[in-house]
Structure formats: structure tokens, C-alpha cells
Amino acid sequence: TATSPNVLAENAAQTFLGIRLQCAQCHNHPFERWRMDDYYGFASFFGRIGRKRGDDPRDTVIFNRGSGEVTNKRTRKSAKPQFLGGAMPSIKPGADRRAVLAEWLTSRQNPWFAKNIANRVWARFFGRGLVQPVDDVRVSNPATNPELLDKLASQLTAYRYDFKKLVRDICTSRTYQLS
């Protein structure tokens, strides 16, 4: 299981945004926009996660420790929480950074979440995403139909992330109805 803030950030970015950040841990990505500062700023959202045993020894309780930082390897300083793309949120003392991240993930300010989810739903029905692999969105791996992906993402956002409506749109589309 992933326990370090860095691995948690990598997994969250790949799962929820379709972005592979791993390269930016050690160096600025040579072909993509992600820099080491982006990596560690995003990982900082996970720096205060604690774990303890539950009542049942097979259970692990995940909680907000209230303290803990991620050190940026480039600057050797504590990284401040930063959304991918550069915006730095204001986080009240004692607030769970993950809640702030979760709010941003589904906000209109995040250009990746809706596209990632729409691409994954499309892939579920067609066996192949508009971006393939579905968890590797990058400039050098564009969607086969960027206009369609933008439209699906826009619809999903307009539907306030109601998957049933997106599934209905895809399943009643002419493309899906073709043999």
C-alpha cells in the first residue's frame, strides 16, 4: 500500500487527473509542463496523513495528523500545497489539506478531472479511451478526438458529475449505436 506522501500524490494524480507525475520527482520533465516544484507542491497535500491500527488488527485508520511537511528536493525547503497548474490555495490552520484538494479536483478551475473521468467512461464502453492509455494525459499523447473529449468533459461538469447522464449520452450516441 502507498504510505509516503509522494506515492500518494503520484497515485492521486494518475487516478483522478490522468497525469503521470513520477518523472518530476527527480527532475523537471523535459517534454511536459511538470516541474519538481509542481510535484512537491502537489505531494504536500498528503504530508499530514497519519495511520494507526484499528480495533481489528487487520484495519488501518487513516487520519489527519495536523502536522507534517513534504521537503522539496530541489529547494530543500518545505513545499507549500499547490494545485497542479500553479494555484496555491489558502488553507486555514488545522484544516485537512485533502479536503481542500478534493474541492479543487471537482471545481471548474481544474481542467483535468472532468476530461479524465469522461475519457475513462468512454473507454469503458468502447474498450479504448480517446486518450490511450487512459491514465497518461500529456501534450505528446493527445486525444484522438479532442473536441469530443472537451464536449464530454463539459457535459459531465454541467451535469455536476452525474455519471448516469454521461453514460446515457454515450450509450445513445450514434457512435455507440453502430455495430
Side-chain angles (χ1 to χ4, degrees), residues 25-148:
Q25 179 178 10
C26 301
H27 58 271
N28 293 337
H29 200 294
F31 307 114
E32 299 300 321
R33 70 184 287 182
W34 309 119
R35 304 289 177 246
M36 289 178 74
D37 293 343
D38 296 314
Y39 179 93
Y40 290 105
F42 194 70
S44 182
F45 284 105
F46 302 94
R48 296 182 175 181
I49 294 176
R51 288 169 186 72
K52 62 183 177 181
R53 287 222 156 165
D55 293 335
D56 182 329
R58 295 171 293 182
D59 292 338
T60 300
V61 176
I62 309 295
F63 65 98
N64 179 19
R65 289 186 315 199
S67 65
E69 301 300 327
V70 171
T71 301
N72 183 324
K73 285 185 182 177
R74 185 185 68 76
T75 64
R76 301 201 190 315
K77 296 180 181 174
S78 290
K80 302 286 183 223
Q82 179 179 347
F83 301 131
L84 290 178
M88 296 185 98
S90 61
I91 302 175
K92 295 177 183 170
D96 190 336
R97 292 176 175 182
R98 295 170 302 157
V100 174
L101 177 61
E103 188 174 318
W104 173 78
L105 279 174
T106 58
S107 73
R108 292 187 183 270
Q109 288 74 40
N110 175 1
W112 299 287
F113 181 74
K115 282 185 182 182
N116 179 54
I117 298 302
N119 187 51
R120 287 175 182 267
V121 173
W122 181 272
R124 184 76 176 152
F125 286 100
F126 288 95
R128 182 170 183 79
L130 295 165
V131 174
Q132 194 64 28
V134 294
D135 62 355
D136 193 14
V137 176
R138 54 190 154 88
V139 173
S140 56
N141 187 30
T144 55
N145 188 333
E147 296 83 13
L148 176 58

Side-chain angles (χ1 to χ4, degrees), residues 114 117-118 151-163 166:
I117 298 302
K151 180 64 176 173
L152 292 171
S154 174
Q155 285 299 107
L156 183 59
T157 303
Y159 293 152
R160 300 179 71 189
Y161 298 99
D162 185 334
F163 294 118
L166 180 65

